[in-house]
Amino acid sequence: MIELRLLVDEVDYEDLIRFLAPLLADKMKEKGGLAALLGGRKEALTAMALQKIKSMGQAEKDELLLRLIAEKSDMLVDKLNRTAAKESVGIHVSSLTARKLDA
């Protein structure tokens, strides 16, 4: 087994929101009910998320990203593995973790 370590020194949270919000909206539409109503309004959902992220401090943004990675690590690993298989890349990722380093 090989451990691969990536160091991320900068995250453009607004670009990340613009990328992820439409994907989230599509998932919400699939669920039905109130989630589907909100998911049908991708632009509004993106605008609300951008407004929220702009109001947060850097430490808060970083903590949110770490929490999301922890909560969605299985899904992210599955997505990485499916993408690798689709692209005929012979690699299998078994886990994904993230932590904040002291500056």
Side-chain angles (χ1 to χ4, degrees):
M1 188 172 294
I2 297 171
E3 180 179 64
L4 177 64
R5 184 173 176 204
L6 301 171
L7 296 176
V8 177
D9 64 355
E10 186 175 319
V11 175
D12 186 325
Y13 287 97
E14 291 179 29
D15 280 349
L16 193 57
I17 293 287
R18 286 186 195 94
F19 174 73
L20 292 176
L23 300 175
L24 175 61
D26 290 341
K27 289 287 184 192
M28 292 171 75
K29 281 202 283 193
E30 293 172 8
K31 290 188 178 201
L34 180 59
L37 180 64
L38 291 171
R41 301 184 36 92
K42 288 182 185 182
E43 294 82 14
L45 185 64
T46 301
M48 288 184 331
L50 284 170
Q51 184 177 10
K52 177 62 180 168
I53 207 77
K54 287 177 182 179
S55 73
M56 297 170 75
Q58 188 63 45
E60 260 185 307
K61 292 176 192 178
D62 292 346
E63 193 57 43
L64 175 62
L65 182 57
L66 291 173
R67 193 169 66 244
L68 287 172
I69 290 170
E71 290 173 4
K72 302 296 183 184
S73 66
D74 290 343
M75 179 198 67
L76 293 168
V77 165
D78 182 57
K79 186 85 162 165
L80 285 168
N81 287 326
R82 283 188 284 125
T83 301
K86 178 182 165 191
E87 298 297 325
S88 300
V89 176
I91 190 169
H92 182 267
V93 177
S94 60
S95 69
L96 174 70
T97 60
R99 65 185 174 103
K100 185 165 177 85
L101 300 177
D102 295 327

